[in-house]
Structure formats: C-alpha cells, structure tokens
Amino acid sequence: MSGGATLDIEELTRRVTEIFALAGLTPLQAETVAGVIVAGERDNCKSHGIYRIDGCLRTLAAGKVEPKAEPVLTDDGSSIIRVDAKGAYSPAAFAIGAPVLAERAKQQGLAALVINTCTHFSALWPEVEALNDMGLAAIAMCPSYSAVAPSGGTAPLLGTNPFAFGWPRPSQPPYVFDFATSIVARGEIELHRRAGDPLPEGWAIDAEGQPTTDPEAALDGAMLPFGGHKGSAISTMIELLAGAMIGDLTSPEALDYLGSTEILPRHGELILAFSPERFAAGRGDPFGRAEKMLDAIAGQGARLPSQRRFAARKISLSEGISLTGEEMASLDALRDTAARIGQKT
Amino acid sequence: MSGGATLDIEELTRRVTEIFALAGLTPLQAETVAGVIVAGERDNCKSHGIYRIDGCLRTLAAGKVEPKAEPVLTDDGSSIIRVDAKGAYSPAAFAIGAPVLAERAKQQGLAALVINTCTHFSALWPEVEALNDMGLAAIAMCPSYSAVAPSGGTAPLLGTNPFAFGWPRPSQPPYVFDFATSIVARGEIELHRRAGDPLPEGWAIDAEGQPTTDPEAALDGAMLPFGGHKGSAISTMIELLAGAMIGDLTSPEALDYLGSTEILPRHGELILAFSPERFAAGRGDPFGRAEKMLDAIAGQGARLPSQRRFAARKISLSEGISLTGEEMASLDALRDTAARIGQKT
C-alpha cells in the first residue's frame, strides 16, 4: 500500500468532518465528533483516532444513534446542568453543556454536567482538557457496556468505565489522566486480536470464567478490573454515579439495549468541574502548590500521565499528522461508506 | 494476660470518650474522636479501632493537635461549605460541617465540604456513611504524609491518600468502599512489623528504591501505589484536589510540617455530597436501578466491599464488642497516659 501523507490538523479535520456530514450527521454532531477523533490522531492516541470512524458509521448504519438529533440543555439554576443528547453522539452534548458548566462552576465553586442518552465512543480527556483550558479542574466518568467481571466474579457485568481527571497548569499542558477501569482499554484487546498477538497474563477471563491470553476468548469472556478489588470498586462507583444516579443506563442495561458489543454504547456521562480559586478561598495559590507537587513527581523520574500524548501533539501541531497509505485509503473507503449510509438516512 | 471482656457500644464509647476528655480535648472533640474509634472497633476494623488511641495521644503530647480548638464553619451560600478545624481532630470538623453540607447538597444537587487544618487519623467510611444515612451519595478523600513512591519513582512522596465512596441502599447498609491508594494501608505494614511477619512481594521499596519484603525497610523506604500508574494517578489527583486546591498541605508538606511519620498528619479533606434524587430528576428511581447493579455483582459471587464490616457490626450491636485482656489493659494504660497529658495541657 502506498500513498502515505502528512496532513495538517485543519485538513484532517475537514476530511473527517466531511465523512460524518456525508453520513447524515448534523453540522454540530459532525464537527464535534470529528474534533475528538482528530484530537486522538493528533496526540498519536491511535485507539481513539480515525480507527474509531468505522465503529461510528456501523452504529449509525444499525440505527443506534440519532444523526439528526439536537441535544437539549436544561438549567434550573442548581449545581447540576443537564444535556439530553437525544441519542446524538456525546461530543455534541458536551459542546452545548460545557460553557454553562464552566460558568456555574466559577459562580458556585463546584458544578456537574449530566449528559443523558448519548452514544459514546470518545476518550474523556478532550472534555477534561477543555475545562482545564477554562481554568477549572475536572473529573469525568461514564459506564460503557458489560465487558469486565467484577473482582471475584466470573462474567462480564461492569463496563470498561473510563475515569478521567484534569488539572490546569500554568504555561504548559494540564495534568491529565484518562484510563479505563478495566486493566486495559477494550481497544487494546481489539488491537491484539487484529495483530494476532496473545494477551499478557491477568488481563482477561474466558466464557467459563478461567484466565486466558487469547484475545478472541477474552472478547467472548470478560476483561478484569485494574488494581483488583479497588479498581472494581471504582468501576462500580461509576456505574452508580454516572448510570443509576443520573437516570441513565448502567453497563449491563446498555448491553441489553444494544444486544451487541459491536455497536457503540448508549448511556450517560457525569462531569464535575471545580474552581480552584473558589476552593482555595485565598489560602495561597492552588496552582503554585500543585506545581510543587507535580515537579516533585517528575523529579523522581516518574512520568506524569499524558506526557506521551502531549509530545506527539507538539509534533503534530508543528509538522502535521502523518498517516500511512493504508490509513489514507481507509479514509477514502470510509467516505464512500458514509455517503452510502447518508443516502439511506 | 487475663481479663478479656465484652462491652456494649455505649460502655466502650464512654471509656474512650473519657480517655480523650482526660487528655484535655473539648467535649465535641472527645465525643467525635471516640465515635470513629468505637465505630472501627464495632466493625472489627482493628486498624482504625482502639489501636489508634495511642497515636492520637502521642500527637497530643507532641503538641501537634489543638485539643481546645473549636472548628469554625464558613458558608457563603455557594456549593462549598468550609470548616476550619483550627488544628482539631477532623471528626469534630466533620460533625459541624456535615449537616450544612447535606442541606446544601439536597438544595443544589451537589455540594462540597472542605475541612482545613485538621489532624487526621480516622477512616473515611464513618463520614460517607453518615451522609448515606441522610440519603446522599458521597465521596471523601484526603492526603496524608509522604509514604508512597509515585509509579516509576524511587522515594516516598505521595501519601497513602484514602479514597472513599458511599451509596445509600434501601433497608440495608450502604454500598461503601474506603481504601488507601497505596497497595495497602500503612497500618497493615505496622501490623506486619509488630507481628514480625514479612510483607508480600510488591508492597514496598526500600530506602534505595529497591523492592523489599522487610516491614522495617519498607517503613524506611516507600510503599507502592495500588494498580500501578492508575492508582498513582488517583493518588496524585487526591494531592491536587484535597491538598493544593483547598489551600491545604499536600503529603510532602504535611511531612515537612511534622518532621516525622510517628505523629498523625495535619492537612485538609475534601468531601463531595450528591443528591441522587436531584441528579435523577425524575428519570426513574436511582436507588432501584442501583440495587439491580449491586445485586448482579453479588449474584456472581463477587463480594461487595464492607460486607465483612457490616457483618461484624451486626454482631457487635446484638452481642457487644469483645476485647482481649491485653486490649482491656491497654485501655486502662491509655487512660493513665491521657490523664498525665491532660495535666500538662
């Protein structure tokens, strides 16, 4: 396969947005979905880059996402801002809710954004980073669909349930982590399957609840939580707070709704935004104190999370995003697929 | 050693409260400190039971806690309630802040309690459970003092930084977890040291940053975070949110302040309270949805966290708390120590 190319971010954004527009998404949905996918590619975070387009289109073709939906914001003046995505992809809902969330967090010190009934595929770090850019600390979490056995359990029940946190840093990218509460992201198992590589020990159990290193068997069985019973507990917290509490689907309910893990999950999301100035209330400079802590971690030679992403971003911003011939061809093929889907919707 | 006894909760509470009153604590501090210690003993959570009295008294004798301090609440009507503990033990500050936090969370949907400048020794589960009893979900977290190396690091920097979550359940104890973000609680290493038992592999590094199973070497070196880089990231989040953000000491700052890990740490604490009714906003019954999830976990044979505690509690409530002769003698000795300390304060 030949034809690799280096695209600048605007050009890749244009191409990916066009794919989703052709597929029938509203301009807001197409732009915001393309935004998070290009951000993934920009940061060399391949499992959330253009690799995700195919799943988005399959979910659309299956009628499990609403391409024409316009998310609706409800604000009753409390600490909770709600956006009903009406079945749209989550980034559109976040785009509508984030400015109101940020304003409320600055006003009240602390506020939450609840997103309901969205189709979800994106990493959470673009969202926490967007809030960090507004000077806020943020936590984001959501269920997914049953793929992980609880600690001590035997079958998929919990989702891979990502948990993300971001803290704004002066004059440099934020402190950000975003991880699956499974021992790895589901995408990692997929990548092993595609590559024909066995899984490391301890990642998964098979359909009989026995340990396995076979990616196919793992996809038929269950992944395991990170950190044993502690990771399992955090994943359960996410089911409760970002599922049951916000009146939206838990991971088993999302799987029941879809009937398949081949399609992107529909559920809700919970985002908390904190104003460090309001929390510090004049007791010193919270950002300066944080820098001392973060510098001390890095000073031991311990890597801060997301540094690999930020290094890749720096290169992408100055030199563009390099795609292989295979990736360029896949963009063309996805464009054709999107056009066919768009004609039917 | 003879003289073991079974005390009912009121009698043990009376004895422990008396110890702290003799040591010179205000009635509020003595009652609330005794409350969490007796709760630990009641739940057979020995590392937070009467074992803790000695550390509390040592910290008092060292002049690192303010026995006469009356915590001061500040409420500006925002989503943040603050209590300045003024150097008192944290349970007194929580007792003053919790009712206001609960009221604000019910009104606004979400609220935070910031406790500043407290001396901290207690588990966090008594606090999240108290909020669960008021119908709220809750998260609590705090730094401690440098004892844990960040993932990839070589020396103590992070605290054992506990993270707790509780969710109210109808007609039964809440779903509660409360764990150190170190691979084990520091108290576990202490208990191994006292018993002369080696540590399991993977718990700690020595002063040279090398793996060790020697409890003494571990106490001179560093514990490791749970769950590798993910647990390390959560622990760092706790330093930022419940240290830097709230204008209070991070774990290395707390250690600098004390100059020793023999004394209980002084720092702040962050507690978030969520009203499930407000978050659900009529989208079904959040408590009923949660029960389905929790029943499914238990239905796989996976144990929910805190079940061992709740089973012990049930026995303690009906049969009383059994203490060994050694424990009964230690209560008498602690009473004498407290009286001596009280004469000096």
Side-chain angles (χ1 to χ4, degrees):
Chain A
M1 185 88 56
S2 63
T6 298
L7 306 183
D8 65 21
I9 289 171
E10 292 68 25
E11 172 61 11
L12 182 59
T13 302
R14 193 193 62 71
R15 290 199 189 198
V16 178
T17 306
E18 184 189 24
I19 289 170
F20 287 109
L22 282 169
L25 269 64
T26 62
L28 176 67
Q29 284 201 54
E31 282 162 26
T32 53
V33 167
V36 295
I37 286 174
V38 171
E41 205 62 39
R42 176 198 67 197
D43 288 6
N44 196 28
C45 186
K46 286 288 183 186
S47 65
H48 284 89
I50 60 176
Y51 158 77
R52 290 278 169 165
I53 299 174
D54 177 55
C56 290
L57 295 181
R58 269 191 284 116
T59 306
L60 192 56
K64 295 292 189 180
V65 64
E66 302 298 333
K68 300 300 185 198
E70 300 286 356
V72 174
L73 184 140
T74 310
D75 177 11
D76 63 1
S78 75
S79 300
I80 306 170
I81 315 297
R82 305 188 82 88
V83 178
D84 185 339
K86 303 276 184 189
Y89 284 112
S90 63
F94 180 77
I96 288 174
V100 185
L101 171 66
E103 189 194 342
R104 189 63 38 83
K106 288 177 182 182
Q107 187 185 60
Q108 289 290 328
L110 171 67
L113 173 62
V114 169
I115 297 176
N116 282 126
T117 317
C118 67
T119 293
H120 209 283
F121 69 93
S122 67
L124 300 180
W125 56 257
E127 299 178 348
V128 297
E129 287 190 20
L131 293 163
N132 297 157
D133 287 347
M134 294 185 257
L136 301 166
I139 290 174
M141 63 182 93
C142 64
S144 52
Y145 38 32
S146 296
V148 177
S151 181
T154 56
L157 178 65
L158 302 167
T160 51
N161 299 2
F163 185 81
F165 169 72
W167 173 270
R169 302 185 69 182
S171 314
Q172 60 181 309
Y175 174 86
V176 173
F177 66 78
D178 175 5
F179 56 70
T181 49
S182 51
I183 200 158
V184 289
R186 189 178 175 83
E188 289 292 321
I189 307 234
E190 271 291 333
L191 292 175
H192 277 74
R193 187 183 65 78
R194 291 183 180 205
D197 291 336
L199 305 177
E201 303 273 350
W203 282 22
I205 55 176
D206 65 19
E208 279 71 49
Q210 298 301 312
T212 185
T213 59
D214 174 5
E216 292 279 4
L219 292 169
D220 288 342
M223 288 186 280
L224 293 172
F226 91 100
H229 70 279
K230 294 181 181 182
S232 188
I234 290 177
S235 182
T236 303
M237 175 188 81
I238 295 171
E239 299 284 352
L240 296 176
L241 290 183
M245 185 175 81
I246 64 170
D248 219 312
L249 303 184
T250 59
S251 294
E253 290 169 340
L255 185 58
D256 281 349
Y257 170 78
L258 296 168
S260 161
T261 61
E262 294 297 304
I263 289 170
L264 297 170
R266 176 174 298 190
H267 49 67
E269 183 180 348
L270 177 63
I271 300 156
L272 305 178
F274 305 78
S275 164
E277 282 94 347
R278 296 297 301 274
F279 271 92
R283 293 176 61 99
D285 168 24
F287 301 110
R289 297 183 96 114
E291 288 307 296
K292 275 178 61 182
M293 188 73 218
L294 297 172
D295 287 346
I297 293 172
Q300 288 195 9
R303 201 170 65 175
L304 296 178
S306 303
Q307 295 303 304
R308 194 192 55 76
R309 275 201 303 109
F310 295 138
R313 182 183 303 182
K314 198 173 172 187
I315 295 170
S316 296
L317 289 170
S318 66
E319 301 173 17
I321 297 169
S322 291
L323 298 179
T324 63
E326 192 176 4
E327 287 169 332
M328 290 299 292
S330 83
L331 284 179
D332 290 337
L334 290 163
R335 190 182 181 285
D336 295 344
T337 304
R340 279 196 302 278
I341 293 170
Q343 282 165 359
K344 290 183 197 155
T345 57
Chain B
M1 184 88 59
S2 64
T6 297
L7 305 183
D8 65 23
I9 288 171
E10 292 68 27
E11 172 62 11
L12 182 59
T13 301
R14 192 191 63 71
R15 292 200 187 197
V16 178
T17 305
E18 184 189 23
I19 290 171
F20 288 109
L22 283 169
L25 270 63
T26 63
L28 177 66
Q29 286 200 54
E31 282 163 25
T32 54
V33 166
V36 295
I37 285 174
V38 172
E41 206 60 42
R42 174 199 67 196
D43 288 7
N44 196 30
C45 186
K46 285 286 181 187
S47 64
H48 285 89
I50 58 175
Y51 159 77
R52 291 278 169 165
I53 298 173
D54 177 55
C56 290
L57 295 181
R58 269 191 285 117
T59 304
L60 192 57
K64 295 292 190 180
V65 65
E66 301 300 333
K68 299 299 185 200
E70 299 286 355
V72 174
L73 184 140
T74 310
D75 177 11
D76 63 1
S78 74
S79 300
I80 306 170
I81 314 298
R82 305 189 81 89
V83 177
D84 185 339
K86 304 276 184 189
Y89 284 112
S90 63
F94 180 78
I96 287 173
V100 185
L101 171 66
E103 188 193 343
R104 189 63 37 82
K106 288 177 181 182
Q107 187 185 57
Q108 289 289 330
L110 171 67
L113 173 61
V114 169
I115 297 175
N116 282 126
T117 315
C118 66
T119 293
H120 209 283
F121 71 92
S122 67
L124 300 180
W125 57 256
E127 299 178 351
V128 297
E129 287 190 20
L131 293 163
N132 297 157
D133 286 347
M134 295 185 256
L136 300 166
I139 289 174
M141 62 182 95
C142 64
S144 52
Y145 37 31
S146 295
V148 178
S151 181
T154 56
L157 179 65
L158 303 168
T160 51
N161 297 4
F163 186 81
F165 169 72
W167 174 270
R169 302 186 69 181
S171 314
Q172 61 181 308
Y175 174 86
V176 172
F177 66 80
D178 175 4
F179 56 71
T181 51
S182 52
I183 202 158
V184 289
R186 189 176 174 83
E188 289 292 322
I189 308 235
E190 271 291 334
L191 292 175
H192 277 75
R193 187 183 66 77
R194 292 183 179 205
D197 292 335
L199 305 176
E201 302 272 352
W203 281 23
I205 55 178
D206 64 21
E208 279 70 49
Q210 299 300 313
T212 185
T213 59
D214 174 5
E216 292 280 3
L219 292 169
D220 287 342
M223 289 187 278
L224 293 172
F226 91 99
H229 70 281
K230 294 182 181 183
S232 189
I234 290 176
S235 182
T236 304
M237 175 187 82
I238 294 170
E239 299 284 352
L240 297 176
L241 291 183
M245 184 173 84
I246 64 170
D248 219 311
L249 303 184
T250 59
S251 294
E253 290 169 341
L255 185 57
D256 281 349
Y257 170 77
L258 295 169
S260 160
T261 60
E262 294 298 303
I263 288 170
L264 296 170
R266 177 176 295 191
H267 50 66
E269 182 181 348
L270 177 63
I271 300 156
L272 305 177
F274 306 78
S275 163
E277 282 95 347
R278 296 296 302 273
F279 272 92
R283 293 175 60 99
D285 168 25
F287 301 110
R289 297 183 96 116
E291 288 307 296
K292 276 179 62 182
M293 187 74 218
L294 297 172
D295 287 347
I297 294 172
Q300 287 195 11
R303 198 171 66 176
L304 295 179
S306 303
Q307 294 304 303
R308 192 191 56 75
R309 273 201 304 110
F310 295 137
R313 182 182 303 181
K314 196 171 171 186
I315 293 170
S316 295
L317 289 171
S318 65
E319 300 173 18
I321 297 170
S322 292
L323 297 179
T324 63
E326 191 175 5
E327 287 168 333
M328 290 299 292
S330 82
L331 284 179
D332 289 337
L334 290 163
R335 189 182 181 286
D336 294 343
T337 303
R340 280 196 302 276
I341 293 170
Q343 282 164 358
K344 291 183 200 157
T345 57

